[in-house]
Amino acid sequence: MPRSRLPLVLLALALGGAAQAATITIATVNNPDMVTMQKLTPEFNKKYPDINVKWVVLPENELRQKITLDVASGAGSFDIATVGVYEVPIWAKNGWLDPLTPLFQKNPSIASSYKLNDILPSVRGALTVNGQLYAVPFYAESSMTFYNKDLFKKAGLTMPPNPTWQQLQSFAAKIHNPSQGVYGICLRGLPGWGENMAFITTMVNTFGGRWFDQNWQAQLNTPAWKNALTFYVNTLKKYGPPGATSNGFTENLTLMSQGKCGMWVDATVAAGFLSDPASSKIVKSVGFANAPVGPGTPRGSNWFWSWNLAIPKSTKQEDAAFKFLTWATSPEYINLVARTKGTWAAVPPGTRTSTYTNPNYKKAAGAFSNIVLSSINRADVTKPTKDPVPYTGIQYVSIPQFQALGTQVGQYLAGALSGQTSIDQALKQGQDAANRVAKEGGYQK
């Protein structure tokens, strides 16, 4: 090769290498599991040094609005979107997501190591539409009861494995000691369909209520809704922390992990955080029980949810995005989190059979792993309420309009909790809004 041509060849090789590099932008929620994923980006780059990763990390409500607007308009700002199990079938039917099944077929080596059949069947099924997989789960969860065993012992209380809501209220009354910075119970109050309404809907379910009857007539004016909301407002006002309407999952997790809550009913994924010495002061005193049931029915008393990674149809980096989402939801990633955190209790839960058969996970998460797995398996999105309903979903109604409706009703109910409006007024506003959605959406005939 003539010496005079060598620099041109090197330049061409350099340009060729640069052309192969890809940059992907990932939109995700700012919960601890996702923040861990963001921090582990350098580990992904060790495996795929030719893929640059940019992050957009937002609070849950803001994330939903931003991603929905971007994906629906085809703007293409994100190559991977973090989406809930509620959105996946709706977005798939709208043609907003890339089906993943062909990508697994196109990448047999990734498919082999990924072990798709290892994902819990109920979780995989919730992300499949017309035989095509449209997202992979980062973690899956139900809901359960967390309690502080030290505070219970001090108050002479014993938490039963299957508590009722009435029992939790009576426990909260005996533990509540705000002058010492201890509150009887912490519950979601922050408005949002994925925040206070996820929690309140499970309470309404187990009090015997439902959002709509089979003719899509709204049911927020029924005794079940009023009884549940009255119980919720009275319990939080008497025994909850101040400013409860500002507290969602993240805020209550902080309060609970600092030893300020006697009890907390929320997502099972919190069990790992509360057992992690790096983030919790109550590792040795946290206790676990099933989600409480109300006076109406056990059905719908614990929710089902999964946060998932999906590729928007508008991406121009499909291959790079597929490599990241299969890495971040793989058995390899779960092992990496265990090594990094120093405990198997901190790995993303609820997605893979192999996690629950792993001796290390059983040893680290034995106090709560069976409750988590049985709660996920028990949560039936097709039978969420005492009386039949025309929709699926336990803590949501599986229609595209519910995101806006749930947030609107969540604001009304937060107004009742803060004292800005009465319970009756809040429920009437919610009833009118739900009926309006059912009529305008063409559900009521």
Side-chain angles (χ1 to χ4, degrees):
M1 180 181 297
R3 291 174 60 89
S4 60
R5 292 181 59 191
L6 187 58
L8 294 176
V9 172
L10 292 175
L11 177 61
L13 288 172
L15 291 173
Q20 291 174 2
T23 297
I24 56 174
T25 301
I26 302 171
T28 195
V29 66
N30 67 341
N31 69 34
D33 268 326
M34 304 306 187
V35 172
T36 297
M37 175 172 63
Q38 183 185 13
K39 289 180 178 177
L40 291 174
T41 303
E43 297 295 327
F44 171 74
N45 286 132
K46 289 179 182 176
K47 186 171 185 177
Y48 297 108
D50 57 339
I51 300 176
N52 301 314
V53 180
K54 292 183 177 180
W55 291 92
V56 176
V57 183
L58 298 168
E60 186 172 332
N61 287 346
E62 189 178 346
L63 177 85
R64 282 201 168 96
Q65 293 175 0
K66 199 174 186 71
I67 292 181
T68 302
L69 180 62
D70 188 87
V71 172
S73 65
S77 302
F78 308 118
D79 302 295
I80 292 178
T82 304
V83 293
V85 66
Y86 158 79
E87 287 100 346
V88 171
I90 296 172
W91 289 15
K93 290 174 183 175
N94 288 345
W96 295 351
L97 299 177
D98 259 358
L100 300 182
T101 304
L103 295 178
F104 277 104
Q105 294 169 343
K106 180 183 171 183
N107 296 276
S109 62
I110 292 178
S112 175
S113 61
Y114 189 78
K115 298 180 175 62
L116 196 55
N117 287 336
D118 184 39
I119 294 176
L120 295 175
S122 59
V123 179
R124 196 170 68 244
L127 306 177
T128 300
V129 179
N130 296 327
Q132 295 285 325
L133 185 71
Y134 279 89
V136 285
F138 188 77
Y139 70 74
E141 66 183 28
S142 184
S143 52
M144 64 190 290
T145 302
F146 307 96
Y147 66 101
N148 188 313
K149 291 189 287 189
D150 288 345
L151 295 175
F152 265 62
K153 184 178 180 180
K154 185 177 179 181
L157 300 172
T158 301
M159 175 67 79
N162 298 294
T164 67
W165 271 113
Q166 287 293 345
Q167 287 175 315
L168 261 57
Q169 188 185 62
S170 69
F171 296 158
K174 294 179 180 177
I175 294 171
H176 193 57
N177 189 0
S179 65
Q180 297 298 312
V182 172
Y183 308 102
I185 190 166
C186 296
L187 302 171
R188 294 188 186 191
L190 184 68
W193 77 277
E195 286 283 5
N196 65 340
M197 292 314 299
F199 169 78
I200 292 173
T201 299
T202 61
M203 180 178 275
V204 169
N205 291 341
T206 196
F207 270 66
R210 52 185 172 169
W211 274 86
F212 297 97
D213 69 10
Q214 286 190 294
N215 296 315
W216 286 98
Q217 297 293 323
Q219 299 293 298
L220 281 76
N221 61 351
T222 57
W225 268 88
K226 183 168 183 177
N227 292 340
L229 190 62
T230 301
F231 186 92
Y232 164 77
V233 169
N234 288 343
T235 302
L236 261 185
K237 278 187 173 179
K238 289 181 179 178
Y239 313 122
T245 55
S246 298
N247 295 344
F249 170 81
T250 303
E251 294 79 11
N252 282 324
L253 173 62
T254 300
L255 288 171
M256 186 74 197
S257 64
Q258 292 177 346
K260 295 183 179 298
C261 303
M263 294 169 288
W264 177 36
V265 180
D266 213 295
T268 54
V269 69
F273 304 141
L274 294 173
S275 303
D276 184 354
S279 58
S280 173
K281 296 180 180 178
I282 61 166
V283 172
K284 295 182 179 178
S285 58
V286 62
F288 309 95
N290 283 304
V293 297
T297 176
R299 280 188 181 178
S301 58
N302 57 288
W303 69 60
F304 173 76
W305 184 258
S306 62
W307 276 117
N308 317 282
L309 301 182
I311 302 177
K313 201 77 174 178
S314 52
T315 182
K316 292 181 174 59
Q317 300 291 348
E318 183 183 72
D319 288 343
F322 182 70
K323 288 175 180 174
F324 185 90
L325 66 76
T326 49
W327 172 80
T329 61
S330 66
E332 170 192 355
Y333 177 85
I334 291 174
N335 275 279
L336 174 63
V337 173
R339 289 199 309 274
T340 304
K341 294 275 190 178
T343 172
W344 270 84
V347 304
T351 60
R352 290 183 171 273
T353 301
S354 57
T355 299
Y356 291 91
T357 57
N358 186 308
N360 293 320
Y361 185 75
K362 286 183 175 181
K363 182 179 180 181
F368 58 81
S369 62
N370 285 339
I371 296 175
V372 173
L373 188 58
S374 63
S375 296
I376 291 174
N377 288 333
R378 187 172 59 248
D380 186 349
V381 298
T382 67
K383 296 177 181 176
T385 56
K386 177 184 176 182
D387 297 315
V389 290
Y391 56 84
T392 61
I394 294 173
Q395 74 279 23
Y396 57 83
V397 177
S398 56
I399 58 175
Q401 297 87 348
F402 185 75
Q403 191 172 157
L405 172 63
T407 295
Q408 184 178 14
V409 175
Q411 290 167 344
Y412 297 148
L413 303 194
L417 178 60
S418 67
Q420 293 178 339
T421 187
S422 70
I423 290 172
D424 286 338
Q425 287 173 324
L427 289 177
K428 183 179 186 311
Q429 290 174 309
Q431 172 79 0
D432 293 344
N435 267 329
R436 192 161 51 247
V437 163
K439 289 176 183 175
E440 294 176 355
Y443 300 101
Q444 289 184 2
K445 304 300 180 185

